[in-house]
Amino acid sequence: MFDILVYLFENYVDFADFSKSGNQPDSPDSQADTALSRKLTAAGFSEEEISEALEWLQGLKATLPTRQLQADSRSLRAYTPDESAHLGADALGFLHFLEQAKVLSADLRELVIERAMALPDDRLSLGRFKVIVLMVLWSQEQNLDTLIVEELLSEAEPEHLH
């Protein structure tokens, strides 16, 4: 599924073009869904992966924020035990880093968490978490700095300085 999400990001200029082109399905039975499924099948993805990716994208579209959270810079987001276990320390640390760097607002942080929690995996790897962040930012049509995109697309673990 994550390979499909990256493929879509790399092959569509922005989320608005992706949505307007009819390639993002509005319902599971839409013709656009079928057309995109055929394109993804032709690109070598399995039916199961395609189905999971399209369902996840529909969830993303359905949960786009409609209001702006006003978070005080001194506020602290407490994570539930389920969120902590599912996301893991690396993803939570990376999420904190993105907030401090002003890449993610409080709204986008909550959307990232919601979309990450929608996945059935017991614990997400940092690489998969980065793809979720990338897709959320892409869906919000955020201006993405090249360095941020490179970081989000990198699956390598950060090097530790000794």
Side-chain angles (χ1 to χ4, degrees):
M1 179 184 101
F2 289 93
D3 291 336
I4 292 173
L5 297 177
V6 171
Y7 175 85
L8 293 173
F9 173 78
E10 291 175 343
N11 288 283
Y12 291 90
V13 175
D14 60 40
F15 195 78
D17 289 344
F18 177 65
S19 297
K20 290 177 194 169
S21 69
N23 287 321
Q24 183 176 1
D26 292 326
S27 68
D29 300 321
S30 72
Q31 289 179 346
D33 185 17
T34 305
L36 182 57
S37 291
R38 280 192 301 245
K39 288 179 184 178
L40 293 171
T41 300
F45 297 108
S46 74
E47 292 296 321
E48 183 179 339
E49 287 179 309
I50 294 168
S51 177
E52 288 175 7
L54 294 179
E55 185 176 317
W56 190 87
L57 284 168
Q58 287 172 348
L60 175 60
K61 187 176 179 185
T63 57
L64 294 178
T66 56
R67 62 176 169 55
Q68 296 290 319
L69 293 176
Q70 298 300 320
D72 187 306
S73 63
R74 298 170 291 163
S75 65
L76 178 66
R77 176 28 163 111
Y79 297 97
T80 68
D82 287 342
E83 290 171 338
S84 295
H86 188 72
L87 299 175
D90 288 341
L92 291 175
F94 188 69
L95 190 60
H96 181 71
F97 163 74
L98 293 173
E99 283 185 87
Q100 295 301 308
K102 306 279 189 243
V103 173
L104 289 179
S105 65
D107 286 331
L108 293 179
R109 176 198 63 220
E110 293 306 312
L111 185 55
V112 166
I113 293 168
E114 190 280 327
R115 291 288 69 214
M117 294 300 291
L119 296 171
D121 299 343
D122 288 339
R123 178 173 286 197
L124 289 173
S125 69
L126 182 58
R128 288 182 172 196
F129 185 74
K130 287 178 179 183
V131 173
I132 293 169
V133 172
L134 178 66
M135 295 308 291
V136 167
L137 290 172
W138 183 54
S139 73
Q140 295 297 296
E141 300 176 38
Q142 298 291 312
N143 289 331
L144 299 175
D145 183 85
T146 304
L147 293 175
I148 294 295
V149 172
E150 286 178 13
E151 175 62 29
L152 293 173
L153 287 175
S154 75
E155 292 200 314
E157 293 298 316
E159 294 183 35
H160 299 283
L161 299 175
H162 296 277

